[in-house]
Amino acid sequence: MTRIEGLGPVGITLNISPDETYLDDAARLESLGYSAIWLRGGQIDSLDRISAVVRATDSIPVATGIIPVGVYDSDAVAQLFADLQTTAPDRFVVGLGGPQVPRPLRALNEYLDRLDRSDPPVPAERRILAALGPRKLELARNRAAGAVALLVTPDYTAEARRILGPDATLVVSLMTVLGTDAAQARDTARDTARVPLRFLSGVGGYATNFERMGFGADDISGLSDRLVDDLVAWGDADAIVARVHSHLAAGADHVVVSELGERPGEVARQLATLLPLRA
């Protein structure tokens, strides 16, 4: 599968606020030079959020990380894609994930079948799948432009690249905490209100993948320092930049910086002065 064109090396996650100030934030992130804006699936309470971010920005790709396929039906996603292709061609990257049902691969395949049959279809080269395990990565390789992975190590990134092969897109979503106090940074990563590591570690797919990466039961149940340090980039801006580079060196095409903590926007501002944000 062909890699997604124009995605660039470093994207940024947009925090969707209850009011419309997030649209100003989107424009600011574009002005900082990031190569893509990503929307968290848990904050997409309406597909209109996606089109609003596209309208609020000029040319930056807007991707979903992810649209939960158990929440939004394929017809709605296909219609959104068609509308945005008309008004903002090739700016919307359809990130899909789930569903949380028995036999999820079968359900996801059926969802992709419906996107293929839509009029017009949502082409495989404009969609990307949340994937962690080998079978999901293979599905992402065969039926989408590639995969997006969250809470992974650079060693995992290298193995995911091996499974995907050289031609698929590999995106790593990297949680970050700006701060050099180890205890405080780890606590922020474990329990931040936006995307708590404690919550995600209880979701079956993540816990299973932690085991694949070599973490033991005690690491997972207690969210050990080793687990947090390996999965979340914390420290000063230089430390976060180094982790971004480690994933790119291991085979990621694109790293999405996801900010945690009480200083929204500060990571984005500091990294913009240190990273090559566009290819």
Side-chain angles (χ1 to χ4, degrees):
M1 186 58 63
T2 303
R3 298 187 187 191
I4 298 172
E5 293 294 330
L7 203 54
V10 183
I12 190 78
T13 297
L14 174 68
N15 182 49
I16 298 178
S17 55
D19 56 21
E20 293 192 353
T21 57
Y22 72 95
L23 299 177
D24 295 330
D25 292 340
R28 178 180 58 81
L29 292 172
E30 182 176 31
S31 72
L32 287 173
Y34 287 91
S35 61
I37 288 174
W38 289 75
L39 310 184
R40 292 189 182 98
Q43 294 185 335
I44 301 174
D45 54 3
S46 165
L47 295 180
D48 291 340
R49 298 281 197 181
I50 302 165
S51 49
V53 173
V54 173
R55 290 194 301 270
T57 50
D58 293 327
S59 59
I60 191 169
V62 175
T64 49
I66 45 72
I67 294 173
V69 303
V71 176
Y72 295 103
D73 66 47
S74 57
D75 288 344
V77 172
Q79 186 61 58
L80 174 65
F81 180 81
D83 291 345
L84 289 177
Q85 277 295 93
T86 299
T87 59
D90 295 333
R91 288 188 57 203
F92 177 32
V93 178
V94 185
L96 301 168
Q100 303 298 322
V101 298
R103 305 185 71 180
L105 290 180
R106 177 178 177 178
L108 184 53
N109 263 305
E110 291 171 350
Y111 193 97
L112 296 173
D113 288 341
R114 293 193 293 274
L115 292 181
D116 288 340
R117 294 194 298 267
S118 298
D119 185 18
V122 178
E125 60 268 22
R126 297 304 301 174
R127 61 199 193 203
I128 193 164
L129 304 183
L132 291 173
R135 293 177 63 199
K136 198 73 166 288
L137 287 166
E138 290 168 356
L139 181 67
R141 178 192 65 205
N142 296 334
R143 301 216 56 193
V148 55
L150 171 66
L151 293 174
V152 297
T153 64
D155 285 345
Y156 170 93
T157 298
E159 176 61 10
R161 169 54 67 199
R162 185 191 67 78
I163 294 171
L164 288 171
D167 299 324
T169 300
L170 176 56
V171 174
V172 171
S173 183
L174 179 64
M175 288 186 178
T176 66
V177 180
L178 186 63
T180 56
D181 183 299
Q184 185 175 16
R186 290 165 179 153
D187 285 345
T188 297
R190 291 179 179 111
D191 294 309
T192 185
R194 288 186 192 169
V195 193
L197 179 55
R198 194 174 305 281
F199 167 76
L200 291 174
S201 68
V203 177
Y206 289 102
T208 300
N209 203 52
F210 294 165
E211 293 175 358
R212 288 192 194 99
M213 291 187 291
F215 297 106
D218 290 342
D219 289 316
I220 298 168
S221 63
L223 296 180
S224 70
D225 289 351
R226 182 174 79 92
L227 184 144
V228 173
D229 293 351
D230 284 358
L231 300 182
V232 179
W234 63 265
D236 60 15
D238 287 330
I240 295 172
V241 165
R243 186 71 64 90
V244 170
H245 282 307
S246 68
H247 281 287
L248 293 172
D253 297 294
H254 182 81
V255 175
V256 185
V257 174
S258 184
E259 301 177 84
L260 308 177
E262 301 302 321
R263 301 165 68 187
E266 188 60 28
V267 173
R269 285 189 288 272
Q270 292 197 27
L271 265 59
T273 67
L274 298 174
L275 277 166
L277 301 178
R278 295 185 182 271

